[in-house]
Amino acid sequence: MAPRGVAIPDLRERLFDAAERIVARDGASALTSRAITGEAGCAKGVLHTHFGGVDAFVAELVLDRFARTAREAAKLPARAGRDTVAGNLMGVALSLLNSLDPGVVGLAMTSHATSRTLREAMAAGAPGFASIQDALTGYLDAELRLGRLADGTDTAAIALALVGTVHHLLMTGWAGVPDPREQTERLVALLVSR
């Protein structure tokens, strides 16, 4: 543990990573302030000091992971004309699918305080599904101009269908359901078939 009064480098990321490990290993019900700080090797009060509590922490974790995926999606239009359209779309879809454990998403949706914080942040412009969808539309528009998609392709509808499906898979991902990667691959193949 860091000595008192000494800043802990990359504290947010350490806590976020610790929370994800706990949820993956022990399930969402094990995600407590004490468990997170213990897993991260930090003082017990650090999470409350920096985030105000577990609900605010989970909201920040979700926003951070969606922003990470949005940054990746924003790079996609520059990839137009390279690799395959389906492969490029799958890269972003998988990044979003893997951005959060379904247990973390479940926590975010079942906590009124967390879901309210997420809605308010996204309404204020925090990157999320809408920015990912916009980046996909921009990419598909570029591919359409290059002739790699059929004339008349509704790029906005493809982006909406893909982001909406991945959003659904994130919300319903638990053991025993069909593999979300396989479902996404089938959807992408259908969406970009000529």
Side-chain angles (χ1 to χ4, degrees):
M1 286 189 207
R4 202 161 221 204
V6 175
I8 302 170
D10 304 315
L11 176 64
R12 279 175 54 95
E13 196 58 37
R14 280 180 59 194
L15 292 169
F16 289 162
D17 290 345
E20 291 176 321
R21 286 192 304 273
I22 291 166
V23 172
R25 182 184 63 231
D26 304 323
S29 62
L31 197 64
T32 65
S33 175
R34 183 176 295 232
I36 296 164
T37 55
E39 180 80 18
C42 300
K44 292 176 188 167
V46 165
L47 187 137
H48 285 279
T49 300
H50 290 276
F51 295 95
V54 174
D55 286 337
F57 172 80
V58 170
E60 287 297 318
L61 171 59
V62 171
L63 289 168
D64 180 80
R65 296 320 192 225
F66 285 166
R68 181 186 291 177
T69 302
R71 286 190 300 273
E72 286 303 308
K75 298 174 187 174
L76 196 54
R79 295 195 51 79
R82 296 187 353 222
D83 300 321
T84 66
V85 174
N88 289 330
L89 292 176
M90 275 304 295
V92 171
L94 291 176
S95 179
L96 185 54
L97 273 173
N98 296 326
S99 65
L100 286 165
D101 185 283
V104 174
V105 175
L107 278 174
M109 300 316 298
T110 57
S111 163
H112 177 70
T114 304
S115 62
R116 184 183 66 241
T117 299
L118 290 171
R119 284 192 307 275
E120 290 170 356
M122 289 189 188
F129 295 111
S131 55
I132 295 166
Q133 183 179 329
D134 290 344
L136 289 174
T137 301
Y139 164 71
L140 291 166
D141 286 343
E143 292 288 18
L144 184 61
R145 286 189 298 276
L146 293 172
R148 292 185 5 132
L149 292 172
D151 286 341
T153 296
D154 188 341
T155 58
I158 290 174
L160 174 62
L162 184 56
V163 171
T165 298
V166 172
H167 178 258
H168 168 74
L169 292 171
L170 269 173
M171 298 296 149
T172 60
W174 53 78
V177 299
D179 178 16
R181 179 187 173 103
E182 181 182 309
Q183 291 178 304
T184 305
E185 285 174 345
R186 287 181 18 232
L187 176 66
V188 167
L190 177 69
L191 291 172
V192 298
S193 64
R194 286 183 155 240

